[in-house]
mmCIF file of all heavy atoms in Angstrom:
data_model
loop_
_atom_site.group_PDB
_atom_site.id
_atom_site.type_symbol
_atom_site.label_atom_id
_atom_site.label_comp_id
_atom_site.label_asym_id
_atom_site.label_seq_id
_atom_site.Cartn_x
_atom_site.Cartn_y
_atom_site.Cartn_z
ATOM 1 N N LYS A 1 -47.672 16.287 -29.327
ATOM 2 C CA LYS A 1 -47.277 15.196 -28.444
ATOM 3 C C LYS A 1 -47.914 15.217 -27.060
ATOM 4 O O LYS A 1 -47.275 14.889 -26.053
ATOM 5 C CB LYS A 1 -45.750 15.150 -28.324
ATOM 6 C CG LYS A 1 -45.059 14.995 -29.709
ATOM 7 C CD LYS A 1 -43.518 14.932 -29.592
ATOM 8 C CE LYS A 1 -42.887 14.807 -30.971
ATOM 9 N NZ LYS A 1 -41.397 14.740 -30.927
ATOM 10 N N ILE A 2 -49.151 15.659 -27.077
ATOM 11 C CA ILE A 2 -49.914 15.737 -25.831
ATOM 12 C C ILE A 2 -51.035 14.710 -25.846
ATOM 13 O O ILE A 2 -51.749 14.542 -26.830
ATOM 14 C CB ILE A 2 -50.570 17.158 -25.649
ATOM 15 C CG1 ILE A 2 -49.502 18.229 -25.479
ATOM 16 C CG2 ILE A 2 -51.490 17.178 -24.448
ATOM 17 C CD1 ILE A 2 -50.020 19.650 -25.460
ATOM 18 N N LEU A 3 -51.134 13.995 -24.707
ATOM 19 C CA LEU A 3 -52.174 13.039 -24.525
ATOM 20 C C LEU A 3 -53.254 13.580 -23.611
ATOM 21 O O LEU A 3 -52.961 13.925 -22.468
ATOM 22 C CB LEU A 3 -51.656 11.698 -23.932
ATOM 23 C CG LEU A 3 -52.665 10.662 -23.519
ATOM 24 C CD1 LEU A 3 -53.337 10.044 -24.748
ATOM 25 C CD2 LEU A 3 -52.131 9.534 -22.678
ATOM 26 N N PHE A 4 -54.457 13.744 -24.139
ATOM 27 C CA PHE A 4 -55.593 14.125 -23.249
ATOM 28 C C PHE A 4 -56.136 12.798 -22.663
ATOM 29 O O PHE A 4 -56.664 11.951 -23.369
ATOM 30 C CB PHE A 4 -56.664 14.842 -24.100
ATOM 31 C CG PHE A 4 -57.946 15.038 -23.322
ATOM 32 C CD1 PHE A 4 -57.920 15.744 -22.129
ATOM 33 C CD2 PHE A 4 -59.168 14.598 -23.809
ATOM 34 C CE1 PHE A 4 -59.104 15.935 -21.402
ATOM 35 C CE2 PHE A 4 -60.321 14.772 -23.108
ATOM 36 C CZ PHE A 4 -60.263 15.445 -21.918
ATOM 37 N N SER A 5 -55.922 12.673 -21.399
ATOM 38 C CA SER A 5 -56.103 11.365 -20.707
ATOM 39 C C SER A 5 -57.443 11.229 -19.987
ATOM 40 O O SER A 5 -57.650 10.188 -19.346
ATOM 41 C CB SER A 5 -55.011 11.127 -19.686
ATOM 42 O OG SER A 5 -54.991 12.206 -18.729
ATOM 43 N N GLY A 6 -58.318 12.257 -20.050
ATOM 44 C CA GLY A 6 -59.589 12.125 -19.333
ATOM 45 C C GLY A 6 -59.328 11.991 -17.810
ATOM 46 O O GLY A 6 -58.592 12.832 -17.267
ATOM 47 N N ASP A 7 -59.992 11.053 -17.165
ATOM 48 C CA ASP A 7 -59.877 10.925 -15.746
ATOM 49 C C ASP A 7 -58.556 10.285 -15.261
ATOM 50 O O ASP A 7 -58.232 10.314 -14.080
ATOM 51 C CB ASP A 7 -61.082 10.153 -15.149
ATOM 52 C CG ASP A 7 -62.270 10.971 -14.973
ATOM 53 O OD1 ASP A 7 -62.190 12.207 -15.084
ATOM 54 O OD2 ASP A 7 -63.404 10.435 -14.833
ATOM 55 N N LEU A 8 -57.872 9.657 -16.189
ATOM 56 C CA LEU A 8 -56.525 9.076 -15.849
ATOM 57 C C LEU A 8 -55.522 10.235 -15.575
ATOM 58 O O LEU A 8 -55.320 11.047 -16.426
ATOM 59 C CB LEU A 8 -56.046 8.191 -16.958
ATOM 60 C CG LEU A 8 -55.164 7.022 -16.495
ATOM 61 C CD1 LEU A 8 -55.818 6.087 -15.493
ATOM 62 C CD2 LEU A 8 -54.707 6.174 -17.718
ATOM 63 N N GLY A 9 -54.920 10.222 -14.415
ATOM 64 C CA GLY A 9 -54.059 11.324 -13.965
ATOM 65 C C GLY A 9 -54.815 12.385 -13.137
ATOM 66 O O GLY A 9 -54.220 13.379 -12.744
ATOM 67 N N ALA A 10 -56.101 12.110 -12.873
ATOM 68 C CA ALA A 10 -56.883 13.061 -12.072
ATOM 69 C C ALA A 10 -56.369 13.178 -10.642
ATOM 70 O O ALA A 10 -55.827 12.241 -10.076
ATOM 71 C CB ALA A 10 -58.368 12.601 -12.015
ATOM 72 N N ALA A 11 -56.397 14.413 -10.153
ATOM 73 C CA ALA A 11 -55.972 14.718 -8.811
ATOM 74 C C ALA A 11 -57.082 15.527 -8.099
ATOM 75 O O ALA A 11 -57.774 16.307 -8.732
ATOM 76 C CB ALA A 11 -54.666 15.510 -8.784
ATOM 77 N N VAL A 12 -57.231 15.306 -6.835
ATOM 78 C CA VAL A 12 -58.201 16.039 -6.017
ATOM 79 C C VAL A 12 -57.447 16.966 -5.099
ATOM 80 O O VAL A 12 -56.754 16.532 -4.154
ATOM 81 C CB VAL A 12 -59.119 15.100 -5.227
ATOM 82 C CG1 VAL A 12 -60.062 15.904 -4.392
ATOM 83 C CG2 VAL A 12 -59.793 14.128 -6.174
ATOM 84 N N PHE A 13 -57.518 18.300 -5.360
ATOM 85 C CA PHE A 13 -56.734 19.243 -4.578
ATOM 86 C C PHE A 13 -57.337 19.380 -3.175
ATOM 87 O O PHE A 13 -58.544 19.401 -3.001
ATOM 88 C CB PHE A 13 -56.739 20.626 -5.257
ATOM 89 C CG PHE A 13 -55.947 20.643 -6.542
ATOM 90 C CD1 PHE A 13 -56.613 20.937 -7.757
ATOM 91 C CD2 PHE A 13 -54.606 20.401 -6.506
ATOM 92 C CE1 PHE A 13 -55.900 20.992 -8.890
ATOM 93 C CE2 PHE A 13 -53.877 20.433 -7.710
ATOM 94 C CZ PHE A 13 -54.561 20.714 -8.925
ATOM 95 N N LYS A 14 -56.451 19.460 -2.170
ATOM 96 C CA LYS A 14 -56.900 19.656 -0.767
ATOM 97 C C LYS A 14 -56.772 21.147 -0.422
ATOM 98 O O LYS A 14 -57.565 21.633 0.355
ATOM 99 C CB LYS A 14 -56.072 18.858 0.140
ATOM 100 C CG LYS A 14 -56.233 17.308 -0.086
ATOM 101 C CD LYS A 14 -55.306 16.518 0.840
ATOM 102 C CE LYS A 14 -55.470 15.015 0.545
ATOM 103 N NZ LYS A 14 -54.527 14.174 1.404
ATOM 104 N N ASP A 15 -55.800 21.797 -0.942
ATOM 105 C CA ASP A 15 -55.586 23.217 -0.649
ATOM 106 C C ASP A 15 -55.587 24.024 -1.942
ATOM 107 O O ASP A 15 -56.474 23.820 -2.773
ATOM 108 C CB ASP A 15 -54.229 23.352 0.117
ATOM 109 C CG ASP A 15 -54.201 22.617 1.430
ATOM 110 O OD1 ASP A 15 -55.146 22.770 2.223
ATOM 111 O OD2 ASP A 15 -53.347 21.781 1.612
ATOM 112 N N GLU A 16 -54.642 24.902 -2.117
ATOM 113 C CA GLU A 16 -54.551 25.748 -3.291
ATOM 114 C C GLU A 16 -54.270 24.930 -4.548
ATOM 115 O O GLU A 16 -53.256 24.227 -4.564
ATOM 116 C CB GLU A 16 -53.573 26.859 -3.087
ATOM 117 C CG GLU A 16 -53.554 27.920 -4.186
ATOM 118 C CD GLU A 16 -54.748 28.844 -4.084
ATOM 119 O OE1 GLU A 16 -55.377 28.925 -3.017
ATOM 120 O OE2 GLU A 16 -55.125 29.453 -5.167
ATOM 121 N N PRO A 17 -55.078 24.994 -5.589
ATOM 122 C CA PRO A 17 -54.802 24.202 -6.753
ATOM 123 C C PRO A 17 -53.622 24.787 -7.570
ATOM 124 O O PRO A 17 -53.334 25.976 -7.458
ATOM 125 C CB PRO A 17 -56.069 24.297 -7.551
ATOM 126 C CG PRO A 17 -56.734 25.555 -7.136
ATOM 127 C CD PRO A 17 -56.368 25.736 -5.680
ATOM 128 N N TYR A 18 -52.979 23.977 -8.327
ATOM 129 C CA TYR A 18 -51.917 24.421 -9.199
ATOM 130 C C TYR A 18 -52.074 23.721 -10.599
ATOM 131 O O TYR A 18 -52.521 22.605 -10.649
ATOM 132 C CB TYR A 18 -50.517 24.095 -8.576
ATOM 133 C CG TYR A 18 -50.349 22.672 -8.051
ATOM 134 C CD1 TYR A 18 -49.960 21.660 -8.903
ATOM 135 C CD2 TYR A 18 -50.629 22.411 -6.739
ATOM 136 C CE1 TYR A 18 -49.847 20.344 -8.412
ATOM 137 C CE2 TYR A 18 -50.454 21.086 -6.211
ATOM 138 C CZ TYR A 18 -50.099 20.083 -7.086
ATOM 139 O OH TYR A 18 -49.965 18.815 -6.601
ATOM 140 N N PRO A 19 -51.668 24.430 -11.675
ATOM 141 C CA PRO A 19 -51.944 23.894 -13.019
ATOM 142 C C PRO A 19 -50.984 22.815 -13.493
ATOM 143 O O PRO A 19 -51.282 22.006 -14.318
ATOM 144 C CB PRO A 19 -51.965 25.139 -13.872
ATOM 145 C CG PRO A 19 -51.069 26.102 -13.168
ATOM 146 C CD PRO A 19 -51.239 25.832 -11.693
ATOM 147 N N ILE A 20 -49.703 22.886 -13.087
ATOM 148 C CA ILE A 20 -48.670 22.036 -13.555
ATOM 149 C C ILE A 20 -48.008 21.275 -12.373
ATOM 150 O O ILE A 20 -47.749 21.851 -11.334
ATOM 151 C CB ILE A 20 -47.538 22.827 -14.273
ATOM 152 C CG1 ILE A 20 -48.118 23.729 -15.402
ATOM 153 C CG2 ILE A 20 -46.464 21.936 -14.842
ATOM 154 C CD1 ILE A 20 -48.663 22.944 -16.602
ATOM 155 N N VAL A 21 -47.751 19.960 -12.551
ATOM 156 C CA VAL A 21 -47.095 19.172 -11.527
ATOM 157 C C VAL A 21 -45.621 19.546 -11.541
ATOM 158 O O VAL A 21 -44.928 19.420 -12.507
ATOM 159 C CB VAL A 21 -47.254 17.674 -11.811
ATOM 160 C CG1 VAL A 21 -46.499 16.877 -10.787
ATOM 161 C CG2 VAL A 21 -48.742 17.259 -11.853
ATOM 162 N N GLU A 22 -45.168 19.997 -10.341
ATOM 163 C CA GLU A 22 -43.763 20.327 -10.156
ATOM 164 C C GLU A 22 -43.062 19.277 -9.351
ATOM 165 O O GLU A 22 -41.888 18.978 -9.548
ATOM 166 C CB GLU A 22 -43.629 21.705 -9.475
ATOM 167 C CG GLU A 22 -44.285 22.850 -10.206
ATOM 168 C CD GLU A 22 -43.521 23.255 -11.481
ATOM 169 O OE1 GLU A 22 -42.388 22.774 -11.700
ATOM 170 O OE2 GLU A 22 -44.094 24.061 -12.280
ATOM 171 N N ASP A 23 -43.718 18.769 -8.310
ATOM 172 C CA ASP A 23 -43.209 17.744 -7.405
ATOM 173 C C ASP A 23 -44.033 16.474 -7.469
ATOM 174 O O ASP A 23 -45.132 16.424 -6.870
ATOM 175 C CB ASP A 23 -43.175 18.299 -5.988
ATOM 176 C CG ASP A 23 -42.564 17.344 -4.931
ATOM 177 O OD1 ASP A 23 -42.445 16.107 -5.268
ATOM 178 O OD2 ASP A 23 -42.276 17.780 -3.848
ATOM 179 N N PHE A 24 -43.581 15.491 -8.270
ATOM 180 C CA PHE A 24 -44.450 14.365 -8.520
ATOM 181 C C PHE A 24 -44.716 13.546 -7.247
ATOM 182 O O PHE A 24 -45.860 13.076 -7.019
ATOM 183 C CB PHE A 24 -43.826 13.411 -9.590
ATOM 184 C CG PHE A 24 -44.699 12.309 -9.957
ATOM 185 C CD1 PHE A 24 -45.719 12.447 -10.916
ATOM 186 C CD2 PHE A 24 -44.581 11.024 -9.421
ATOM 187 C CE1 PHE A 24 -46.574 11.430 -11.251
ATOM 188 C CE2 PHE A 24 -45.406 10.023 -9.733
ATOM 189 C CZ PHE A 24 -46.409 10.212 -10.689
ATOM 190 N N GLU A 25 -43.705 13.387 -6.425
ATOM 191 C CA GLU A 25 -43.874 12.577 -5.226
ATOM 192 C C GLU A 25 -44.980 13.187 -4.281
ATOM 193 O O GLU A 25 -45.746 12.411 -3.734
ATOM 194 C CB GLU A 25 -42.573 12.474 -4.508
ATOM 195 C CG GLU A 25 -41.548 11.520 -5.145
ATOM 196 C CD GLU A 25 -41.068 11.966 -6.517
ATOM 197 O OE1 GLU A 25 -40.918 13.225 -6.725
ATOM 198 O OE2 GLU A 25 -40.779 11.186 -7.398
ATOM 199 N N SER A 26 -45.029 14.489 -4.178
ATOM 200 C CA SER A 26 -46.099 15.123 -3.389
ATOM 201 C C SER A 26 -47.449 15.020 -4.131
ATOM 202 O O SER A 26 -48.488 14.842 -3.462
ATOM 203 C CB SER A 26 -45.759 16.562 -3.099
ATOM 204 O OG SER A 26 -44.609 16.661 -2.333
ATOM 205 N N HIS A 27 -47.408 15.121 -5.391
ATOM 206 C CA HIS A 27 -48.603 15.122 -6.202
ATOM 207 C C HIS A 27 -49.318 13.753 -6.141
ATOM 208 O O HIS A 27 -50.582 13.696 -6.259
ATOM 209 C CB HIS A 27 -48.326 15.480 -7.666
ATOM 210 C CG HIS A 27 -49.565 15.730 -8.541
ATOM 211 N ND1 HIS A 27 -50.377 16.815 -8.318
ATOM 212 C CD2 HIS A 27 -50.098 14.999 -9.523
ATOM 213 C CE1 HIS A 27 -51.382 16.744 -9.162
ATOM 214 N NE2 HIS A 27 -51.230 15.683 -9.926
ATOM 215 N N VAL A 28 -48.577 12.670 -6.016
ATOM 216 C CA VAL A 28 -49.144 11.300 -5.907
ATOM 217 C C VAL A 28 -50.211 11.264 -4.809
ATOM 218 O O VAL A 28 -51.191 10.538 -4.987
ATOM 219 C CB VAL A 28 -48.063 10.291 -5.657
ATOM 220 C CG1 VAL A 28 -48.651 8.956 -5.156
ATOM 221 C CG2 VAL A 28 -47.273 10.066 -6.941
ATOM 222 N N GLN A 29 -49.987 11.960 -3.739
ATOM 223 C CA GLN A 29 -50.978 11.875 -2.626
ATOM 224 C C GLN A 29 -52.338 12.409 -3.042
ATOM 225 O O GLN A 29 -53.346 12.012 -2.502
ATOM 226 C CB GLN A 29 -50.431 12.731 -1.479
ATOM 227 C CG GLN A 29 -49.099 12.251 -0.903
ATOM 228 C CD GLN A 29 -48.558 13.200 0.107
ATOM 229 O OE1 GLN A 29 -49.271 13.815 0.915
ATOM 230 N NE2 GLN A 29 -47.206 13.440 0.107
ATOM 231 N N LEU A 30 -52.393 13.306 -4.049
ATOM 232 C CA LEU A 30 -53.601 13.886 -4.512
ATOM 233 C C LEU A 30 -54.278 13.021 -5.586
ATOM 234 O O LEU A 30 -55.420 13.188 -5.889
ATOM 235 C CB LEU A 30 -53.368 15.259 -5.067
ATOM 236 C CG LEU A 30 -52.620 16.300 -4.177
ATOM 237 C CD1 LEU A 30 -52.515 17.675 -4.881
ATOM 238 C CD2 LEU A 30 -53.352 16.430 -2.831
ATOM 239 N N MET A 31 -53.482 12.101 -6.193
ATOM 240 C CA MET A 31 -53.997 11.217 -7.234
ATOM 241 C C MET A 31 -54.460 9.830 -6.689
ATOM 242 O O MET A 31 -55.357 9.171 -7.218
ATOM 243 C CB MET A 31 -52.955 10.983 -8.316
ATOM 244 C CG MET A 31 -52.570 12.218 -9.104
ATOM 245 S SD MET A 31 -51.581 11.758 -10.572
ATOM 246 C CE MET A 31 -50.143 11.093 -9.842
ATOM 247 N N GLU A 32 -53.797 9.418 -5.618
ATOM 248 C CA GLU A 32 -53.909 8.014 -5.177
ATOM 249 C C GLU A 32 -55.311 7.560 -4.832
ATOM 250 O O GLU A 32 -55.749 6.477 -5.257
ATOM 251 C CB GLU A 32 -52.967 7.725 -3.992
ATOM 252 C CG GLU A 32 -52.811 6.255 -3.715
ATOM 253 C CD GLU A 32 -51.658 5.979 -2.813
ATOM 254 O OE1 GLU A 32 -51.172 6.935 -2.113
ATOM 255 O OE2 GLU A 32 -51.158 4.818 -2.755
ATOM 256 N N GLY A 33 -56.027 8.373 -4.039
ATOM 257 C CA GLY A 33 -57.369 7.937 -3.617
ATOM 258 C C GLY A 33 -58.301 7.717 -4.782
ATOM 259 O O GLY A 33 -59.011 6.710 -4.844
ATOM 260 N N PHE A 34 -58.309 8.655 -5.716
ATOM 261 C CA PHE A 34 -59.184 8.508 -6.899
ATOM 262 C C PHE A 34 -58.782 7.275 -7.727
ATOM 263 O O PHE A 34 -59.682 6.459 -8.061
ATOM 264 C CB PHE A 34 -59.075 9.774 -7.753
ATOM 265 C CG PHE A 34 -59.796 9.619 -9.107
ATOM 266 C CD1 PHE A 34 -61.164 9.875 -9.157
ATOM 267 C CD2 PHE A 34 -59.139 9.158 -10.216
ATOM 268 C CE1 PHE A 34 -61.870 9.696 -10.353
ATOM 269 C CE2 PHE A 34 -59.801 8.981 -11.404
ATOM 270 C CZ PHE A 34 -61.161 9.275 -11.471
ATOM 271 N N HIS A 35 -57.551 7.127 -8.000
ATOM 272 C CA HIS A 35 -57.125 5.961 -8.917
ATOM 273 C C HIS A 35 -57.363 4.643 -8.240
ATOM 274 O O HIS A 35 -57.795 3.726 -8.952
ATOM 275 C CB HIS A 35 -55.677 6.196 -9.283
ATOM 276 C CG HIS A 35 -55.437 7.303 -10.310
ATOM 277 N ND1 HIS A 35 -55.509 8.633 -9.948
ATOM 278 C CD2 HIS A 35 -55.164 7.242 -11.608
ATOM 279 C CE1 HIS A 35 -55.289 9.334 -11.048
ATOM 280 N NE2 HIS A 35 -55.058 8.544 -12.053
ATOM 281 N N ARG A 36 -57.153 4.547 -6.966
ATOM 282 C CA ARG A 36 -57.337 3.260 -6.326
ATOM 283 C C ARG A 36 -58.798 2.835 -6.316
ATOM 284 O O ARG A 36 -59.157 1.707 -6.473
ATOM 285 C CB ARG A 36 -56.842 3.273 -4.848
ATOM 286 C CG ARG A 36 -55.318 3.053 -4.783
ATOM 287 C CD ARG A 36 -54.809 3.333 -3.335
ATOM 288 N NE ARG A 36 -55.511 2.569 -2.343
ATOM 289 C CZ ARG A 36 -55.234 1.268 -2.029
ATOM 290 N NH1 ARG A 36 -54.313 0.660 -2.690
ATOM 291 N NH2 ARG A 36 -55.919 0.687 -1.135
ATOM 292 N N ARG A 37 -59.698 3.819 -6.162
ATOM 293 C CA ARG A 37 -61.137 3.514 -6.003
ATOM 294 C C ARG A 37 -61.844 3.471 -7.335
ATOM 295 O O ARG A 37 -62.787 2.683 -7.556
ATOM 296 C CB ARG A 37 -61.777 4.604 -5.124
ATOM 297 C CG ARG A 37 -63.268 4.312 -4.835
ATOM 298 C CD ARG A 37 -63.373 3.029 -4.023
ATOM 299 N NE ARG A 37 -64.743 2.748 -3.648
ATOM 300 C CZ ARG A 37 -65.669 2.109 -4.385
ATOM 301 N NH1 ARG A 37 -65.325 1.690 -5.625
ATOM 302 N NH2 ARG A 37 -66.923 1.906 -3.999
ATOM 303 N N TYR A 38 -61.434 4.285 -8.361
ATOM 304 C CA TYR A 38 -62.216 4.422 -9.574
ATOM 305 C C TYR A 38 -61.720 3.547 -10.753
ATOM 306 O O TYR A 38 -62.490 3.285 -11.676
ATOM 307 C CB TYR A 38 -62.249 5.884 -9.984
ATOM 308 C CG TYR A 38 -63.272 6.743 -9.283
ATOM 309 C CD1 TYR A 38 -63.041 7.143 -7.943
ATOM 310 C CD2 TYR A 38 -64.464 7.071 -9.828
ATOM 311 C CE1 TYR A 38 -63.923 7.881 -7.220
ATOM 312 C CE2 TYR A 38 -65.417 7.821 -9.106
ATOM 313 C CZ TYR A 38 -65.127 8.224 -7.819
ATOM 314 O OH TYR A 38 -66.087 9.010 -7.115
ATOM 315 N N LEU A 39 -60.456 3.184 -10.765
ATOM 316 C CA LEU A 39 -59.971 2.340 -11.847
ATOM 317 C C LEU A 39 -60.352 0.898 -11.586
ATOM 318 O O LEU A 39 -60.315 0.425 -10.458
ATOM 319 C CB LEU A 39 -58.491 2.521 -12.046
ATOM 320 C CG LEU A 39 -57.998 3.976 -12.242
ATOM 321 C CD1 LEU A 39 -56.473 3.972 -12.583
ATOM 322 C CD2 LEU A 39 -58.847 4.748 -13.257
ATOM 323 N N ALA A 40 -60.598 0.158 -12.682
ATOM 324 C CA ALA A 40 -61.115 -1.228 -12.512
ATOM 325 C C ALA A 40 -60.082 -2.226 -11.924
ATOM 326 O O ALA A 40 -60.517 -3.055 -11.075
ATOM 327 C CB ALA A 40 -61.592 -1.705 -13.854
ATOM 328 N N SER A 41 -58.891 -2.224 -12.406
ATOM 329 C CA SER A 41 -57.925 -3.229 -11.914
ATOM 330 C C SER A 41 -56.535 -2.931 -12.497
ATOM 331 O O SER A 41 -56.378 -2.144 -13.442
ATOM 332 C CB SER A 41 -58.283 -4.622 -12.383
ATOM 333 O OG SER A 41 -58.127 -4.767 -13.828
ATOM 334 N N SER A 42 -55.524 -3.474 -11.819
ATOM 335 C CA SER A 42 -54.134 -3.286 -12.274
ATOM 336 C C SER A 42 -53.923 -3.891 -13.670
ATOM 337 O O SER A 42 -53.060 -3.415 -14.421
ATOM 338 C CB SER A 42 -53.120 -3.858 -11.276
ATOM 339 O OG SER A 42 -53.399 -5.221 -11.043
ATOM 340 N N SER A 43 -54.638 -4.985 -13.957
ATOM 341 C CA SER A 43 -54.475 -5.635 -15.270
ATOM 342 C C SER A 43 -54.912 -4.716 -16.434
ATOM 343 O O SER A 43 -54.347 -4.710 -17.517
ATOM 344 C CB SER A 43 -55.217 -6.975 -15.317
ATOM 345 O OG SER A 43 -56.588 -6.766 -15.187
ATOM 346 N N VAL A 44 -55.946 -3.946 -16.188
ATOM 347 C CA VAL A 44 -56.413 -2.943 -17.165
ATOM 348 C C VAL A 44 -55.427 -1.867 -17.352
ATOM 349 O O VAL A 44 -55.182 -1.398 -18.476
ATOM 350 C CB VAL A 44 -57.787 -2.388 -16.798
ATOM 351 C CG1 VAL A 44 -58.296 -1.363 -17.788
ATOM 352 C CG2 VAL A 44 -58.850 -3.533 -16.689
ATOM 353 N N ILE A 45 -54.799 -1.400 -16.283
ATOM 354 C CA ILE A 45 -53.784 -0.365 -16.366
ATOM 355 C C ILE A 45 -52.620 -0.861 -17.216
ATOM 356 O O ILE A 45 -52.102 -0.140 -18.077
ATOM 357 C CB ILE A 45 -53.265 0.017 -14.966
ATOM 358 C CG1 ILE A 45 -54.336 0.729 -14.151
ATOM 359 C CG2 ILE A 45 -51.981 0.909 -15.071
ATOM 360 C CD1 ILE A 45 -53.961 1.029 -12.734
ATOM 361 N N LYS A 46 -52.185 -2.105 -17.007
ATOM 362 C CA LYS A 46 -51.036 -2.652 -17.741
ATOM 363 C C LYS A 46 -51.377 -2.734 -19.217
ATOM 364 O O LYS A 46 -50.532 -2.494 -20.059
ATOM 365 C CB LYS A 46 -50.651 -3.989 -17.147
ATOM 366 C CG LYS A 46 -49.950 -3.839 -15.771
ATOM 367 C CD LYS A 46 -49.550 -5.201 -15.206
ATOM 368 C CE LYS A 46 -48.752 -5.044 -13.954
ATOM 369 N NZ LYS A 46 -49.478 -4.355 -12.891
ATOM 370 N N LYS A 47 -52.600 -3.133 -19.558
ATOM 371 C CA LYS A 47 -53.057 -3.162 -20.958
ATOM 372 C C LYS A 47 -52.950 -1.829 -21.547
ATOM 373 O O LYS A 47 -52.373 -1.615 -22.733
ATOM 374 C CB LYS A 47 -54.520 -3.670 -21.061
ATOM 375 C CG LYS A 47 -55.062 -3.623 -22.438
ATOM 376 C CD LYS A 47 -54.392 -4.597 -23.419
ATOM 377 C CE LYS A 47 -55.119 -4.608 -24.726
ATOM 378 N NZ LYS A 47 -54.400 -5.496 -25.706
ATOM 379 N N TRP A 48 -53.392 -0.773 -20.892
ATOM 380 C CA TRP A 48 -53.342 0.591 -21.353
ATOM 381 C C TRP A 48 -51.883 1.029 -21.501
ATOM 382 O O TRP A 48 -51.525 1.687 -22.561
ATOM 383 C CB TRP A 48 -54.071 1.541 -20.413
ATOM 384 C CG TRP A 48 -53.953 2.973 -20.733
ATOM 385 C CD1 TRP A 48 -54.755 3.651 -21.647
ATOM 386 C CD2 TRP A 48 -53.169 3.927 -20.150
ATOM 387 N NE1 TRP A 48 -54.377 4.940 -21.699
ATOM 388 C CE2 TRP A 48 -53.379 5.175 -20.741
ATOM 389 C CE3 TRP A 48 -52.131 3.909 -19.141
ATOM 390 C CZ2 TRP A 48 -52.700 6.378 -20.435
ATOM 391 C CZ3 TRP A 48 -51.451 5.049 -18.820
ATOM 392 C CH2 TRP A 48 -51.714 6.273 -19.449
#
């Protein structure tokens, strides 16, 4: 029941990396820049 998502869900670490997300709200800050710039559109996200 694991989805290998490729670049979706990617995060760019600023400090010490960690393997598992423990605090999602803090982790969003590491995902947001990549997802806003690299994903095509919100309509494509909704389709997925």
Side-chain angles (χ1 to χ4, degrees):
K1 300 180 181 179
I2 296 175
L3 174 68
F4 172 55
S5 61
D7 279 347
L8 208 60
V12 180
F13 292 118
K14 296 177 181 177
D15 299 307
E16 189 70 24
Y18 48 86
I20 305 291
V21 177
E22 302 288 350
D23 181 344
F24 186 81
E25 285 66 33
S26 296
H27 190 67
V28 163
Q29 301 171 37
L30 307 183
M31 295 192 295
E32 191 166 20
F34 172 85
H35 286 73
R36 278 172 53 82
R37 185 63 176 87
Y38 279 77
L39 305 189
S41 71
S42 57
S43 61
V44 177
I45 292 174
K46 289 179 173 61
K47 174 67 175 177
W48 176 80

